[in-house]
Amino acid sequence: MASSEGERPRRALSTYKAVFIAIGAAIVGLGLLWLAGSVDAIKGNPGLQSVFNNLGSALITGMALVVLWELVSKRSFAREVIEVTRSAADIERSGITHAGTEYLRDADWDGLFSRVQKLDIFFAYGHTWRGSNLTNLRALARKKGCRIRVYLPDVEDSDTVRQLATRIKGTPEKMIDLIVEARSHFESLYEPGGAEISVFYRPGELLFSAYRFDSTAVITLFAHRKERGGVPTIVCQEPGTLYSFIKLDLDAVNRQSRQVFPQPVVVGNADS
């Protein structure tokens, strides 16, 4: 704060100095124009008169621009630079690499699938997304050493199903069918010797959809309107703050979920 307060008198002094110089130059310019129109020796020489007129006009116009820049434009320009710099720093800190409203096109899904080792998916049922990325999903499912974890709404939790049914303008029965169909789809991708595939059910409201491809995450938000249309889509990377938020949120989702595929092995006691 002390440094900022110390800068103010120096900025004011610099401004006053520039204004006084501009006023002095403008007075000289007016003098040159007066000489060009009043002194016979100059008036009688068209070439010399033109030089005086042009020089005087240039001084007046140039100094007027200097004053305008010093008093108004320079401050506006400085504020603009500061805002742009601050915005760029905020974006870099968040880790955002892309944002849009067309989730099937805004993310480079082919590129993300081509290099992913661990994929986490958290959505309602993703019918359109699954169809669009079916070839990628099948290819990843065949890769040994890779992992796919899918989190779906819990069809046995009536509140969860009812909330989702209300959001998509469907019935709870229809919602359950869509979720079960998504579960079956991922189960069918499993191949012995291929990727590890796990499916989970999570009770509770779904606030956004998320796809985490190792150190890159894609989130899509929901719209309050009922009509179909674009939805906000954000791509971000580690170690950005937004990526960290998604990672922590998915960790919480994992703790809140129960595994439904493959069925967890229950170890009984010695008498069972």
Side-chain angles (χ1 to χ4, degrees):
M1 179 66 71
S3 176
S4 177
E5 291 176 352
E7 286 293 326
R8 290 174 184 170
R10 284 194 287 272
R11 286 200 297 266
L13 181 61
S14 176
T15 299
Y16 292 144
K17 182 178 179 181
V19 170
F20 287 143
I21 292 174
I23 292 174
I27 291 173
V28 172
L30 289 171
L32 290 173
L33 291 176
W34 180 83
L35 290 173
S38 303
V39 177
D40 292 337
I42 298 176
K43 292 168 59 178
N45 188 331
L48 185 60
Q49 185 182 35
S50 177
V51 170
F52 271 67
N53 280 328
N54 291 336
L55 185 58
S57 298
L59 281 172
I60 294 172
T61 302
M63 292 308 104
L65 292 174
V66 168
V67 172
L68 181 63
W69 166 257
E70 192 66 36
L71 296 181
V72 181
S73 301
K74 185 167 78 172
R75 287 168 175 75
S76 298
F77 178 73
R79 284 194 295 270
E80 188 74 18
V81 170
I82 291 171
E83 288 300 321
V84 170
T85 302
R86 183 181 297 124
S87 298
D90 289 343
I91 292 174
E92 182 177 1
R93 223 175 2 255
S94 71
I96 293 175
T97 59
H98 189 82
T101 57
E102 298 293 336
Y103 77 100
L104 292 178
R105 293 199 296 262
D106 287 325
D108 178 18
W109 298 111
D110 291 341
L112 291 171
F113 269 103
S114 69
R115 53 185 178 270
V116 68
Q117 293 293 314
K118 296 180 179 180
L119 170 61
D120 291 332
I121 302 170
F122 177 47
F123 54 22
Y125 51 89
H127 181 78
T128 303
W129 183 85
R130 287 186 286 114
S132 177
N133 290 284
L134 181 57
T135 300
N136 288 323
L137 286 167
R138 286 174 173 168
L140 180 60
R142 290 192 292 266
K143 290 184 179 179
K144 185 178 180 180
C146 292
R147 186 201 73 193
I148 303 174
R149 293 192 304 198
V150 184
Y151 300 94
L152 300 170
D154 192 339
V155 295
E156 296 181 13
D157 186 84
S158 59
D159 289 338
T160 298
V161 174
R162 185 175 64 253
Q163 288 171 354
L164 286 172
T166 300
R167 179 178 295 166
I168 66 170
K169 294 199 306 183
T171 64
E173 293 74 21
K174 177 64 174 177
M175 192 71 244
I176 291 174
D177 289 342
L178 291 169
I179 296 171
V180 171
E181 190 272 333
R183 171 184 170 178
S184 299
H185 174 265
F186 284 105
E187 291 179 3
S188 69
L189 293 175
Y190 174 76
E191 295 185 12
E196 174 190 340
I197 299 178
S198 304
V199 181
F200 300 81
Y201 277 165
R202 173 190 176 270
E205 188 175 6
L206 188 71
L207 301 179
F208 58 84
S209 298
Y211 313 80
R212 183 174 63 166
F213 294 77
D214 295 329
S215 59
T216 300
V218 182
I219 61 172
T220 59
L221 309 182
F222 299 123
H224 291 95
R225 67 181 187 275
K226 300 298 184 181
E227 299 79 10
R228 286 186 173 274
V231 293
T233 303
I234 303 171
V235 183
C236 57
Q237 290 184 329
E238 193 176 23
T241 55
L242 183 56
Y243 176 89
S244 297
F245 166 82
I246 296 170
K247 181 179 183 298
L248 291 173
D249 221 49
L250 287 176
D251 289 343
V253 167
N254 180 265
R255 292 192 298 271
Q256 298 162 6
S257 303
R258 60 186 177 91
Q259 185 171 327
V260 294
F261 177 81
Q263 290 291 337
V265 177
V266 178
V267 180
N269 55 43
D271 296 329
S272 60

